[in-house]
Amino acid sequence: MKKPLIALLATLLVAATQVTPPPVAPPAAPAADAAPAPTVPAPTPQLTEADVGAWLDGYMPAALKAGKIAGAQVAIVKDGAVLFEKGYGYADVAAKTPMDPRRSLMRIGSTSKLLTWTAVMQLVEAGRIDLNADVNRYLDFRITAPGRAVTINDLMQHRGGFEEGLKDLLASDPKLLKTTERYLKENTRPFLFAPGEAPAYSNYGVALAGYIVQRVSGEPFEAYVARHITDPLGMTHTTFAQPLPPQLAPLAAKGYATSDGPAQPYELVGTAPAGSVATTADDMARFMLMQLGGGSYGGATILKPATTAFLHQPSTPPVPGFDTMAHGLFWMMRNGTPVIGHGGDTIVFHTDLNLLPEKKVGIFVSFSSRGENDAVYGVRERLFDLFMDRYFPAPPVPMQPAIGSAAQDAQALAGHYESTRRVETGFISLFYLLQQDQVTANPDGTIGVSSIEGKRFREIAHGLWREVDGSRLLRVTELGGRRAIVDSQNPVGVLQAVPFSRNSTVFQSILGLSLLVLVLTVLMWPVAWWIRRRFGAPPAATGRAASTRLLVRIGAIADLAYLAGWYAILAPILGQHVDAYNATLDTPIRLLQIAAIVPVAAAGAGVWNLVEMFRQPFGWGMRVRAALVALALAGILWVAAVAHLIGWSLNY
């Protein structure tokens, strides 16, 4: 990835926006006994329209170009008014249509959740929703959870306990888009945890909250939000509706994988209340001003001040140094300043909204491309870090020394981990199995985490690790009887140590070795036939042994075909093609589920052949080969079972 390159360019560009004074003659050298001149710290730039405009004009164009990002919008509010808003790059690359922060609609993904939670709190304020009540009170179908009931407060904290789900999450064809009601009822998610037990980010849970708004209010969800939130605030270019209404459709900015590639289809979100908003930076500035204004803006009162304050506060006191969840918003401390907000990502659009309530400041940014090598993530993160360091700086915190047992503790932590946000019971679990985090122990006693690129952590207290030359923290704890790691910057997921049976290195080793043996077995079949035909050699086995050897070879071919079939299903999802997430895959998936008899039968043939090799007077060479093939066939069966390729559910 090119995050370091982008960060370097950004730093240089920020420096380039400073005014350089003309050169002057050097001062005379001080006398030998003169006291050194005191160091005067550089003044902190003021957050003004002129300064932030010059800074962003330095950062954004070069960052977009370096990352191959088509376009972006930025809005900054301060003290009850819009301070700055601007579009960068293109809303339509081919047509050279400039990005317009007042007219070009962006998909803001999960930042949509902030409007959903605002709607929920309106109904809480009206006494029509109880955050601590069983969600089944408001539903026309049942959610049956282990332990206690799921509450809306659980949903706000992403602690409903739901397993992740991808089916019907995205589509480009409106005919494939389900209503929220259909989605929730037809794509119910299994529980990985009891409600309240563990943070596990859940779009399903937020869609459930949006459906409750619809049920309680008696209005379609998107109509409720329009009538009670966006219309009163004058957010005339904002909608949850999919596809876009005719008057807004021509204004939609196009999304791109990279700026030099083709425009991608308009992404339709199955969990609409969790991520379907299309909006502009100007409209989101109004939303930020409402949130910062105690629930009111432009003469419209959306929430009471007390309700807004409740929405912004964590439900429990945060652990020092660790981000947590307010009521639907991420809550964090950055440079000693409380920050609340929410990011959002579709496949091609990427957004971030952050509010500094004590400073009466908010910043919204949205990008229309993932960028080359996923560059947008680094650009987005760097933008906010630079914004905070420029306008709300804090002195660096001295690095604490490592404790004496750090090296041994690092070795004990090393291994594979999986996030609480995962699919475990369906065939999509294969992706999560292959993308496990790896904690490595470094020679200097620090640790690294594969998903936190380029950072090392030093143990400063037992079970507490701090980023070297940074402030990010990791805390070691236990969850579900397994060692777990809490990341201070991720309040909606915990890393759990994986059991041996789900270790990705073990899984990939067994898969790779099994495939190698089966491919060689298949390739050697025609070679052996040619040798016998060419030199008149007798067959290696006759009778029942010859039959079992034939079955093994057929089983090897069938296993390879079986895996190729699954690859054909999984590759589009891995390649993040929008329509790979919908029900059009049900028929081929069902056929492959029926075909699970293939690895079962092939493994049985491998064992039968091995038994025949030992029942008859064959040499040890043939017996060893039979054992290797039997292990390979059994390995494919094990892989299919662990990856949940064997099953009957079409809900993934």
mmCIF file of all heavy atoms in Angstrom, residues 563-582:
data_model
loop_
_atom_site.group_PDB
_atom_site.id
_atom_site.type_symbol
_atom_site.label_atom_id
_atom_site.label_comp_id
_atom_site.label_asym_id
_atom_site.label_seq_id
_atom_site.Cartn_x
_atom_site.Cartn_y
_atom_site.Cartn_z
ATOM 1 N N LEU A 563 -13.741 -27.708 -5.749
ATOM 2 C CA LEU A 563 -13.097 -26.480 -5.277
ATOM 3 C C LEU A 563 -13.130 -25.389 -6.339
ATOM 4 O O LEU A 563 -13.287 -24.203 -6.026
ATOM 5 C CB LEU A 563 -11.658 -26.773 -4.858
ATOM 6 C CG LEU A 563 -11.495 -27.667 -3.623
ATOM 7 C CD1 LEU A 563 -10.021 -27.946 -3.367
ATOM 8 C CD2 LEU A 563 -12.132 -27.021 -2.396
ATOM 9 N N ALA A 564 -12.999 -25.780 -7.609
ATOM 10 C CA ALA A 564 -13.081 -24.796 -8.685
ATOM 11 C C ALA A 564 -14.469 -24.158 -8.727
ATOM 12 O O ALA A 564 -14.608 -22.956 -8.996
ATOM 13 C CB ALA A 564 -12.757 -25.450 -10.022
ATOM 14 N N GLY A 565 -15.495 -24.953 -8.459
ATOM 15 C CA GLY A 565 -16.855 -24.421 -8.421
ATOM 16 C C GLY A 565 -17.015 -23.385 -7.327
ATOM 17 O O GLY A 565 -17.611 -22.317 -7.544
ATOM 18 N N TRP A 566 -16.480 -23.682 -6.137
ATOM 19 C CA TRP A 566 -16.562 -22.715 -5.050
ATOM 20 C C TRP A 566 -15.763 -21.461 -5.377
ATOM 21 O O TRP A 566 -16.169 -20.337 -5.051
ATOM 22 C CB TRP A 566 -16.072 -23.332 -3.744
ATOM 23 C CG TRP A 566 -17.144 -24.067 -3.000
ATOM 24 C CD1 TRP A 566 -17.224 -25.402 -2.755
ATOM 25 C CD2 TRP A 566 -18.319 -23.484 -2.418
ATOM 26 N NE1 TRP A 566 -18.374 -25.697 -2.061
ATOM 27 C CE2 TRP A 566 -19.064 -24.540 -1.833
ATOM 28 C CE3 TRP A 566 -18.820 -22.192 -2.335
ATOM 29 C CZ2 TRP A 566 -20.264 -24.319 -1.172
ATOM 30 C CZ3 TRP A 566 -20.026 -21.971 -1.674
ATOM 31 C CH2 TRP A 566 -20.729 -23.032 -1.105
ATOM 32 N N TYR A 567 -14.626 -21.638 -6.027
ATOM 33 C CA TYR A 567 -13.825 -20.469 -6.390
ATOM 34 C C TYR A 567 -14.609 -19.563 -7.340
ATOM 35 O O TYR A 567 -14.569 -18.335 -7.218
ATOM 36 C CB TYR A 567 -12.512 -20.900 -7.048
ATOM 37 C CG TYR A 567 -11.662 -19.727 -7.487
ATOM 38 C CD1 TYR A 567 -10.894 -19.030 -6.565
ATOM 39 C CD2 TYR A 567 -11.659 -19.298 -8.812
ATOM 40 C CE1 TYR A 567 -10.137 -17.931 -6.952
ATOM 41 C CE2 TYR A 567 -10.909 -18.206 -9.213
ATOM 42 C CZ TYR A 567 -10.146 -17.531 -8.275
ATOM 43 O OH TYR A 567 -9.407 -16.452 -8.667
ATOM 44 N N ALA A 568 -15.333 -20.150 -8.283
ATOM 45 C CA ALA A 568 -16.121 -19.359 -9.224
ATOM 46 C C ALA A 568 -17.191 -18.539 -8.502
ATOM 47 O O ALA A 568 -17.531 -17.424 -8.916
ATOM 48 C CB ALA A 568 -16.762 -20.272 -10.269
ATOM 49 N N ILE A 569 -17.717 -19.088 -7.396
ATOM 50 C CA ILE A 569 -18.718 -18.370 -6.610
ATOM 51 C C ILE A 569 -18.070 -17.263 -5.783
ATOM 52 O O ILE A 569 -18.572 -16.143 -5.681
ATOM 53 C CB ILE A 569 -19.463 -19.349 -5.672
ATOM 54 C CG1 ILE A 569 -20.331 -20.319 -6.486
ATOM 55 C CG2 ILE A 569 -20.315 -18.587 -4.651
ATOM 56 C CD1 ILE A 569 -21.496 -19.670 -7.173
ATOM 57 N N LEU A 570 -16.940 -17.580 -5.181
ATOM 58 C CA LEU A 570 -16.328 -16.677 -4.209
ATOM 59 C C LEU A 570 -15.503 -15.562 -4.849
ATOM 60 O O LEU A 570 -15.361 -14.487 -4.262
ATOM 61 C CB LEU A 570 -15.444 -17.478 -3.250
ATOM 62 C CG LEU A 570 -16.190 -18.507 -2.388
ATOM 63 C CD1 LEU A 570 -15.206 -19.411 -1.671
ATOM 64 C CD2 LEU A 570 -17.086 -17.802 -1.378
ATOM 65 N N ALA A 571 -14.951 -15.811 -6.034
ATOM 66 C CA ALA A 571 -14.060 -14.825 -6.654
ATOM 67 C C ALA A 571 -14.736 -13.471 -6.879
ATOM 68 O O ALA A 571 -14.127 -12.425 -6.597
ATOM 69 C CB ALA A 571 -13.492 -15.371 -7.959
ATOM 70 N N PRO A 572 -15.989 -13.407 -7.382
ATOM 71 C CA PRO A 572 -16.608 -12.086 -7.557
ATOM 72 C C PRO A 572 -16.788 -11.336 -6.243
ATOM 73 O O PRO A 572 -16.669 -10.111 -6.204
ATOM 74 C CB PRO A 572 -17.969 -12.419 -8.199
ATOM 75 C CG PRO A 572 -17.766 -13.750 -8.835
ATOM 76 C CD PRO A 572 -16.828 -14.478 -7.927
ATOM 77 N N ILE A 573 -17.079 -12.068 -5.164
ATOM 78 C CA ILE A 573 -17.231 -11.418 -3.864
ATOM 79 C C ILE A 573 -15.880 -10.900 -3.395
ATOM 80 O O ILE A 573 -15.753 -9.774 -2.906
ATOM 81 C CB ILE A 573 -17.826 -12.399 -2.838
ATOM 82 C CG1 ILE A 573 -19.206 -12.873 -3.305
ATOM 83 C CG2 ILE A 573 -17.934 -11.749 -1.464
ATOM 84 C CD1 ILE A 573 -19.823 -13.931 -2.437
ATOM 85 N N LEU A 574 -14.843 -11.712 -3.572
ATOM 86 C CA LEU A 574 -13.496 -11.296 -3.203
ATOM 87 C C LEU A 574 -13.076 -10.084 -4.024
ATOM 88 O O LEU A 574 -12.386 -9.193 -3.534
ATOM 89 C CB LEU A 574 -12.513 -12.450 -3.427
ATOM 90 C CG LEU A 574 -11.093 -12.264 -2.898
ATOM 91 C CD1 LEU A 574 -11.109 -12.106 -1.386
ATOM 92 C CD2 LEU A 574 -10.217 -13.438 -3.293
ATOM 93 N N GLY A 575 -13.510 -10.033 -5.288
ATOM 94 C CA GLY A 575 -13.210 -8.895 -6.142
ATOM 95 C C GLY A 575 -14.122 -7.708 -5.924
ATOM 96 O O GLY A 575 -14.016 -6.701 -6.615
ATOM 97 N N GLN A 576 -15.064 -7.826 -4.945
ATOM 98 C CA GLN A 576 -15.958 -6.747 -4.542
ATOM 99 C C GLN A 576 -16.827 -6.256 -5.694
ATOM 100 O O GLN A 576 -17.044 -5.063 -5.872
ATOM 101 C CB GLN A 576 -15.167 -5.593 -3.923
ATOM 102 C CG GLN A 576 -14.437 -6.014 -2.662
ATOM 103 C CD GLN A 576 -13.664 -4.879 -2.031
ATOM 104 O OE1 GLN A 576 -13.056 -4.083 -2.724
ATOM 105 N NE2 GLN A 576 -13.672 -4.810 -0.721
ATOM 106 N N HIS A 577 -17.364 -7.195 -6.457
ATOM 107 C CA HIS A 577 -18.360 -6.851 -7.463
ATOM 108 C C HIS A 577 -19.706 -6.708 -6.751
ATOM 109 O O HIS A 577 -20.130 -7.604 -6.016
ATOM 110 C CB HIS A 577 -18.448 -7.936 -8.538
ATOM 111 C CG HIS A 577 -17.163 -8.104 -9.307
ATOM 112 N ND1 HIS A 577 -16.686 -7.139 -10.155
ATOM 113 C CD2 HIS A 577 -16.256 -9.108 -9.330
ATOM 114 C CE1 HIS A 577 -15.537 -7.541 -10.686
ATOM 115 N NE2 HIS A 577 -15.255 -8.731 -10.196
ATOM 116 N N VAL A 578 -20.386 -5.602 -6.975
ATOM 117 C CA VAL A 578 -21.581 -5.277 -6.204
ATOM 118 C C VAL A 578 -22.614 -6.392 -6.262
ATOM 119 O O VAL A 578 -23.146 -6.831 -5.240
ATOM 120 C CB VAL A 578 -22.188 -3.946 -6.706
ATOM 121 C CG1 VAL A 578 -23.539 -3.695 -6.055
ATOM 122 C CG2 VAL A 578 -21.238 -2.797 -6.408
ATOM 123 N N ASP A 579 -22.923 -6.887 -7.462
ATOM 124 C CA ASP A 579 -24.004 -7.852 -7.592
ATOM 125 C C ASP A 579 -23.617 -9.260 -7.158
ATOM 126 O O ASP A 579 -24.422 -10.185 -7.261
ATOM 127 C CB ASP A 579 -24.520 -7.867 -9.025
ATOM 128 C CG ASP A 579 -25.297 -6.598 -9.355
ATOM 129 O OD1 ASP A 579 -25.916 -6.053 -8.425
ATOM 130 O OD2 ASP A 579 -25.273 -6.158 -10.506
ATOM 131 N N ALA A 580 -22.402 -9.444 -6.668
ATOM 132 C CA ALA A 580 -22.018 -10.748 -6.128
ATOM 133 C C ALA A 580 -22.613 -10.981 -4.749
ATOM 134 O O ALA A 580 -22.513 -12.072 -4.205
ATOM 135 C CB ALA A 580 -20.497 -10.854 -6.046
ATOM 136 N N TYR A 581 -23.270 -9.967 -4.175
ATOM 137 C CA TYR A 581 -23.774 -10.078 -2.814
ATOM 138 C C TYR A 581 -25.254 -10.442 -2.752
ATOM 139 O O TYR A 581 -25.843 -10.391 -1.685
ATOM 140 C CB TYR A 581 -23.581 -8.739 -2.084
ATOM 141 C CG TYR A 581 -22.143 -8.355 -1.861
ATOM 142 C CD1 TYR A 581 -21.451 -7.603 -2.804
ATOM 143 C CD2 TYR A 581 -21.475 -8.719 -0.709
ATOM 144 C CE1 TYR A 581 -20.135 -7.231 -2.603
ATOM 145 C CE2 TYR A 581 -20.157 -8.349 -0.489
ATOM 146 C CZ TYR A 581 -19.496 -7.603 -1.443
ATOM 147 O OH TYR A 581 -18.195 -7.234 -1.240
ATOM 148 N N ASN A 582 -25.883 -10.767 -3.888
ATOM 149 C CA ASN A 582 -27.329 -10.929 -3.834
ATOM 150 C C ASN A 582 -27.769 -12.353 -4.133
ATOM 151 O O ASN A 582 -26.968 -13.244 -4.397
ATOM 152 C CB ASN A 582 -28.015 -9.933 -4.785
ATOM 153 C CG ASN A 582 -27.525 -10.096 -6.210
ATOM 154 O OD1 ASN A 582 -27.668 -11.168 -6.774
ATOM 155 N ND2 ASN A 582 -26.933 -9.054 -6.784
#
